[in-house]
Amino acid sequence: MFTKLLVSLWLFCAAAGATAVQFVNVGSGVNNGAAYVGPYNLLVDGVETPGTCISPTLEVAPPFQWEANLDPITDFADAVQTQLLKAAWLTEQFVVSADTAAIHQAIWNLFGSNYADADTLSWAAAADAGFSSVDAARFAVLVPTDHLTQSFLIESRVPEPRLWWTVPAILVVGLRRGKTVDGTPDTR
């Protein structure tokens, strides 16, 4: 009984660690003829945050809301981490180039699209050459908990401490207090 209670509490508290995300608007307002491109404006746990869509086949529109896990790029396996670093390098280029559509198309190509125009391919080649300069610790991915909503690349921020794991730990310590190793009451 105690074990079931502890596991249930742990799972409940772990679920409380998800990040609330709301799609606010398309940001730049640039459209490539099929979709809006460039960093979009999101609210991440109530904080305005620019985010780059890396899911070329999924769409959201304001005021859509969902839950996501905030996963640092460094948490991904090598091949995926390299894709994300290239996407991060391309995301950095939004502030230095007006070629928003081709940059975003190069990002989507990393994740399954097939844009073949010269500008997009040029940005893809530049990302191949430049991605190693990206500080992976600066970026994270909002991965939707339902796996049906867009994933977004965002700049990392110092997270507020999530102490959800302390509740079950305190319960275990508190329930074990006053007992000896063999389970008999401590009479000290």
Side-chain angles (χ1 to χ4, degrees):
M1 174 69 176
F2 172 72
T3 304
K4 286 182 182 178
L5 174 65
L6 184 60
V7 169
S8 296
L9 279 170
W10 205 294
L11 290 173
F12 171 77
C13 291
T19 299
V21 182
Q22 180 179 349
F23 185 90
V24 177
N25 62 43
V26 294
S28 70
V30 176
N31 190 300
N32 71 353
Y36 286 99
V37 294
Y40 305 135
N41 293 319
L42 309 172
L43 286 178
V44 179
D45 281 338
V47 177
E48 291 182 19
T49 305
T52 301
C53 168
I54 60 172
S55 306
T57 59
L58 300 171
E59 296 181 11
V60 296
F64 191 76
Q65 297 177 342
W66 67 98
E67 296 286 317
N69 294 316
L70 185 60
D71 297 331
I73 286 180
T74 54
D75 285 1
F76 290 88
D78 290 344
V80 175
Q81 189 176 115
T82 298
Q83 285 177 296
L84 291 168
L85 287 170
K86 289 177 183 180
W89 185 89
L90 288 160
T91 295
E92 291 176 336
Q93 307 315 302
F94 286 133
V95 296
V96 296
S97 175
D99 200 3
T100 306
I103 293 170
H104 209 144
Q105 290 171 174
I107 292 169
W108 283 333
N109 277 358
L110 291 167
F111 301 97
S113 288
N114 291 313
Y115 293 99
D117 60 278
D119 287 345
T120 298
L121 297 177
S122 175
W123 281 109
D128 287 341
F131 80 92
S132 63
S133 67
V134 173
D135 178 6
R138 282 190 45 227
F139 291 91
V141 181
L142 289 166
V143 180
T145 56
D146 66 5
H147 302 289
L148 300 173
T149 309
Q150 289 177 323
S151 293
F152 286 87
L153 182 66
I154 65 168
E155 284 203 51
S156 298
R157 57 183 198 268
V158 177
E160 295 179 22
R162 291 219 168 126
L163 300 178
W164 59 264
W165 58 269
T166 60
V167 173
I170 290 169
L171 282 173
V172 169
V173 171
L175 292 173
R176 293 296 300 166
R177 189 173 183 197
K179 300 200 183 223
T180 61
V181 174
D182 66 357
T184 59
D186 186 357
T187 57
R188 283 189 262 164

